[in-house]
Amino acid sequence: QVQLVESGGGLVQPGGSLRLSCAASGSIFRLNVMGWYRQAPGKQRELVAAITIGGSTNYADSVKGRFTISRDSAKNTVYLQMNSLRPEDTAVYYCNADLRRSSDTRYHDYWGQGTQVTVSS
């Protein structure tokens, strides 16, 4: 079994900051790309940021310069530092990992349960 457990969401005022964490656990052979997606009410889920095993990053245009993704490979954990938050950043944020289980030969996508981020005064 593999689990992705997110933490760090909450309510913050516009201009504020939050840091999300996502820890992967279980029989993991190798973690490839890890990322964060978000889904606002009535909208499709969208990629926010992703980071490869080598540390290369990719960001949605709407968060460039405000959000920073990082990972601690020793802890199988990915982080999302969110600064200068705006009301339009309000959404459920989901952790995603492309990984290979110890008992498998292929990579599969895994998702966390989601954490709510609300930006409001």
Side-chain angles (χ1 to χ4, degrees), residues 9-10 18 20 37-41 43-46 48 67 82 85-94 114-119:
L18 282 175
L20 305 182
Y37 288 71
R38 67 185 180 187
Q39 188 167 19
K43 294 189 176 182
Q44 288 190 332
R45 190 174 296 189
E46 63 174 358
V48 176
F67 291 10
M82 304 185 294
L85 282 161
R86 305 167 180 169
E88 52 265 38
D89 295 317
T90 296
V92 177
Y93 284 70
Y94 296 91
T115 185
Q116 177 70 46
V117 171
T118 302
V119 185

Side-chain angles (χ1 to χ4, degrees), residues 41-103:
K43 294 189 176 182
Q44 288 190 332
R45 190 174 296 189
E46 63 174 358
L47 174 68
V48 176
I51 184 167
T52 69
I53 193 170
S56 297
T57 58
N58 181 39
Y59 294 93
D61 287 343
S62 59
V63 307
K64 282 180 181 177
R66 300 188 298 123
F67 291 10
T68 302
I69 189 170
S70 60
R71 67 190 283 174
D72 184 334
S73 294
K75 296 181 180 179
N76 287 342
T77 300
V78 64
Y79 306 96
L80 186 67
Q81 178 66 44
M82 304 185 294
N83 299 329
S84 303
L85 282 161
R86 305 167 180 169
E88 52 265 38
D89 295 317
T90 296
V92 177
Y93 284 70
Y94 296 91
C95 175
N96 172 266
D98 176 46
L99 65 86
R100 177 184 159 187
R101 292 167 51 190
S102 300
S103 59

Side-chain angles (χ1 to χ4, degrees), residues 2-3 24-31 76 99-102:
V2 171
Q3 278 191 314
S25 62
S27 301
I28 299 170
F29 177 79
R30 183 181 172 103
L31 268 169
N76 287 342
L99 65 86
R100 177 184 159 187
R101 292 167 51 190
S102 300

Side-chain angles (χ1 to χ4, degrees), residues 1-28:
Q1 279 285 61
V2 171
Q3 278 191 314
L4 301 182
V5 179
E6 301 124 331
S7 60
L11 172 64
V12 64
Q13 291 188 341
S17 298
L18 282 175
R19 188 191 194 212
L20 305 182
S21 300
C22 171
S25 62
S27 301
I28 299 170

